[in-house]
């Protein structure tokens, strides 16, 4: 089952073409990593997929439902706010800088959206939130505030916050880039565990070895296009394109 | 005039001073929010109106503004401004302080990182939920020191109501001082203002401490 489909996505900031005709699709349970140099458009692609940016042209489809549809002349026409609100419930996003709410406790960070937005039962959500915290090894931090946690702990809370919404697909935007190398491992382990549970994920990352080991499919982007994609082992160990080789030679 | 009589008359004035203070806050704080939103509006006309409003009210003396608010209805429309004195004081103060509060609010709102809005958007919060639950509580904490400053200034600025001969503590004190050729009313007024501000500082500190549970 296709969870996400992006066709011919185009995005321009002023005169700068950030995304030139990008297409990708994500099957249920698939883990896709997107790698590439800074400015290659990978974060913008993720931001388009999560509706934080609007694409100029192309289709954006979650589980067969159009969030945006190309009108045939290269202009993306977005669905109504009501439909987009519903479509948003399909995905979660983990940010590079966590973006936890500093004035909420860890537990409230995780619980508020399911209760407020999804109107789910508070007691039930709380039980699930505590279970998620246990999974993240943070059960004793439920009442702590984000400033009291390390970066790695904050990122695990933000992953729990995203998971509490029961998304069909989870996006990660460079989830370890703001962490020092010692804390990177704990986040990568959490993502590995999620992959083992067949969580559908799209991960923008600079961790090449991790991308190779955890993903089913790797996309290498540069200059707003997909330069090369395919089997993780092949892309990382034996890239075909010169641009990919040049990029990977630095790791 | 005995000291007790002096104190009694000036206490009556102090109550009026507190009245100006409280009413000014009640009107200027929400009005300031409105002006701040207008100032941040994407609509250029609304934005520029707010910009001019703030510029004029911060750029001219409050004393002059009080005189304009009080006498303008008479000079422009020939209106009878007999019973209008107190209302004019409150309108003048509220309009002036709204301009200052607007800029404090704007600074506070613009200091909230974009990531907070984005996290809320992805989680499905509506715009108003994002503002009320995520943005506003953080703004309140950030602007507390600036608001405290403004509120303390307001306590002292209420004395400008003497411009419209409104019988607050300073106006009464000046009258007694002139009539009795005594320095004592000024001392009493100073003590009154100081006590009022000590209370304000104390209350604001409680608010600040209350919001200190996070960073």
């Amino acid at each position: 089952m296709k969870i996400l489909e992006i066709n011919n996505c185009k995005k321009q900031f002023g005169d700068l073409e950030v995304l030139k005709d990008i297409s990708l699709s994500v099957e249920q349970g698939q883990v896709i990593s997107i790698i590439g140099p800074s400015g290659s458009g990978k974060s913008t692609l993720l931001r388009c997929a999560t509706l934080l940016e609007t694409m100029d042209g192309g289709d954006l489809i979650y589980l067969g439902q159009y969030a945006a549809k190309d009108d045939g002349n290269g202009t993306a026409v977005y669905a109504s706010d009501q439909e987009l609100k519903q479509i948003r419930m399909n995905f979660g996003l983990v940010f590079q800088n966590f973006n936890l709410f500093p004035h909420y406790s860890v537990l409230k960070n995780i619980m508020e959206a399911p209760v407020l937005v999804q109107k789910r039962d508070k007691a039930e959500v709380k039980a699930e939130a505590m279970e998620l915290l246990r999974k993240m090894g943070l059960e004793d931090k439920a009442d702590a505030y984000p400033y009291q946690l390390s970066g790695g702990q904050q990122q695990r809370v933000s992953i729990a916050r995203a998971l509490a919404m029961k998304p069909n697909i989870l996006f990660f935007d460079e989830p370890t880039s703001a962490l020092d190398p010692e804390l990177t491992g704990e986040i990568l382990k959490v993502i590995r565990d999620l992959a083992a549970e067949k969580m559908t994920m799209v991960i923008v990352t600079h961790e090449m070895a991790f991308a190779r080991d955890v993903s089913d499919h790797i996309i290498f982007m540069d200059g707003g296009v997909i330069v090369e994609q395919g089997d993780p082992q092949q892309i990382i160990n034996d890239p075909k394109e010169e641009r990919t080789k040049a990029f990977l030679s630095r790791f | 005039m005995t000291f007790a009589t002096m104190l009694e008359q000036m206490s009556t004035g102090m109550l009026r001073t507190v009245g100006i203070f409280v009413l000014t806050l009640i009107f200027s704080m929400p009005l300031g929010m409105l002006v701040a939103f207008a100032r941040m509006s994407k609509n250029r006309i609304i934005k520029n109106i707010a910009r001019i409003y703030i510029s004029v009210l911060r750029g001219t003396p409050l004393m002059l503004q009080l005189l304009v608010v009080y006498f303008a209805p008479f000079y422009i429309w020939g209106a009878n401004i007999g019973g209008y004195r107190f209302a004019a004081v409150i309108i003048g103060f509220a309009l002036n302080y709204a301009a200052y509060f607007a800029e404090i609010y704007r600074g506070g709102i613009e200091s909230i990182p974009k990531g907070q809005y984005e996290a809320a958007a992805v989680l499905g919060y509506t715009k108003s939920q994002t503002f009320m639950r995520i943005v506003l509580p953080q703004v309140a904490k950030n602007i507390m020191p600036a608001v405290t400053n403004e509120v303390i200034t307001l306590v002292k600025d209420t004395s400008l109501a003497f411009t419209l001969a409104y019988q607050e503590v300073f106006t009464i004190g000046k009258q007694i001082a002139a009539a009795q050729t005594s320095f004592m009313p000024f001392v009493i007024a100073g003590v009154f203002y100081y006590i009022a501000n000590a209370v304000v500082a104390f209350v604001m500190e409680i608010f600040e401490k209350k919001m200190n549970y996070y960073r």
Side-chain angles (χ1 to χ4, degrees), chain B residues 7-180:
Chain B
L7 206 59
E8 194 196 318
Q9 289 186 9
M10 288 187 67
S11 296
T12 319
M14 192 62 201
L15 282 181
R16 296 202 186 103
T17 295
V18 171
I20 299 172
F21 173 77
V22 171
L23 287 173
T24 299
L25 286 185
I26 287 175
F27 291 116
S28 65
M29 293 187 93
L31 181 60
M33 192 57 93
L34 227 61
V35 177
F37 280 133
R39 177 67 181 78
M40 292 184 290
S41 166
K42 288 192 183 102
N43 182 317
R44 285 220 340 256
I45 298 169
I46 294 176
K47 185 180 184 159
N48 281 325
I49 290 173
R51 199 180 261 155
I52 292 166
Y53 175 87
I54 292 167
S55 170
V56 169
L57 281 136
R58 293 202 310 180
T60 58
L62 175 51
M63 195 185 280
L64 179 69
Q65 291 165 22
L66 287 169
L67 290 168
V68 169
V69 169
Y70 186 47
F71 291 111
F74 171 74
Y75 284 114
I76 297 174
W77 301 292
N80 175 11
I81 53 173
Y84 174 58
R85 193 184 308 274
F86 180 60
V89 169
I90 301 303
I91 292 170
F93 273 104
L95 291 178
N96 179 274
Y97 271 75
Y100 285 92
F101 281 128
E103 286 296 270
I104 292 174
Y105 295 153
R106 183 170 72 93
I109 290 169
E110 287 178 349
S111 75
I112 302 301
K114 216 176 80 198
Q116 294 286 306
Y117 292 92
E118 293 184 347
V122 171
L123 290 167
Y125 287 68
T126 62
K127 283 214 167 80
S128 67
Q129 285 169 340
T130 304
F131 186 75
M132 294 308 288
R133 288 166 184 269
I134 308 300
V135 176
L136 200 56
Q138 296 185 58
V139 168
K141 180 185 165 81
N142 292 350
I143 65 174
M144 221 42 187
V147 169
T148 302
N149 255 338
E150 213 49 52
V151 173
I152 286 178
T153 305
L154 172 61
V155 170
K156 295 175 288 183
D157 273 357
T158 52
S159 59
L160 286 171
F162 91 87
T163 318
L164 304 189
Y166 180 67
Q167 298 288 308
E168 46 69 58
V169 69
F170 191 69
T171 310
I172 292 178
K174 263 182 44 163
Q175 288 163 355
I176 298 174
Q180 309 284 321

Side-chain angles (χ1 to χ4, degrees), chain A residues 47 50 52 85 88-89 91-93 95 99-104 112-113 116-117 145 147 161 165, chain B residues 113-126 129 133-135 137-138 212-215:
Chain A
R47 293 172 60 81
T50 51
L52 290 176
K85 194 175 171 170
R88 253 189 207 103
M89 291 300 109
F91 59 78
L93 171 62
F95 297 86
N99 293 336
L100 291 175
F101 304 131
H103 57 308
Y104 285 173
E112 191 174 72
L116 181 74
V117 177
Y145 285 86
Y147 80 93
R161 178 175 72 175
M165 300 293 281
Chain B
K114 216 176 80 198
Q116 294 286 306
Y117 292 92
E118 293 184 347
V122 171
L123 290 167
Y125 287 68
T126 62
Q129 285 169 340
R133 288 166 184 269
I134 308 300
V135 176
Q138 296 185 58
N212 247 348
Y213 66 91
Y214 74 94
R215 258 175 251 152

Side-chain angles (χ1 to χ4, degrees), chain A residues 68-198:
Chain A
K69 194 178 171 115
D70 202 287
D71 67 353
N73 301 317
T75 303
V77 181
Y78 275 79
S80 68
D81 285 349
Q82 203 53 40
E83 284 172 285
L84 289 179
K85 194 175 171 170
Q86 198 194 332
I87 288 167
R88 253 189 207 103
M89 291 300 109
N90 284 305
F91 59 78
L93 171 62
V94 174
F95 297 86
Q96 182 177 344
N97 300 316
F98 333 131
N99 293 336
L100 291 175
F101 304 131
H103 57 308
Y104 285 173
S105 69
V106 164
L107 192 62
K108 193 167 182 190
N109 261 286
I110 299 171
M111 281 181 62
E112 191 174 72
V115 173
L116 181 74
V117 177
Q118 295 180 328
K119 314 257 182 264
R120 273 154 54 191
D121 178 64
K122 203 169 172 179
E124 188 187 301
V125 170
K126 185 173 180 180
E128 285 174 15
M130 289 309 294
E131 181 52 37
L132 280 167
L133 282 175
R134 245 189 304 284
K135 247 174 85 176
M136 300 289 159
L138 293 170
E139 61 268 51
D140 56 331
K141 300 290 185 196
D143 297 321
Y145 285 86
Y147 80 93
Q148 296 167 314
L149 306 179
S150 72
Q153 291 171 329
Q154 290 191 47
Q155 191 59 300
R156 278 183 278 157
V157 172
S158 86
I159 294 171
R161 178 175 72 175
L163 288 172
M165 300 293 281
K166 300 181 190 282
N168 293 311
I169 179 170
L170 194 50
F171 296 95
F172 291 85
D173 188 7
E174 302 190 23
T176 61
S177 295
L179 302 174
D180 64 63
E182 283 192 330
L183 300 176
T184 301
E186 60 186 66
I187 299 306
L188 299 185
K189 183 185 173 298
V190 168
I191 300 174
R192 267 198 196 94
D193 291 347
L194 289 172
E197 291 169 23
K198 291 286 157 214

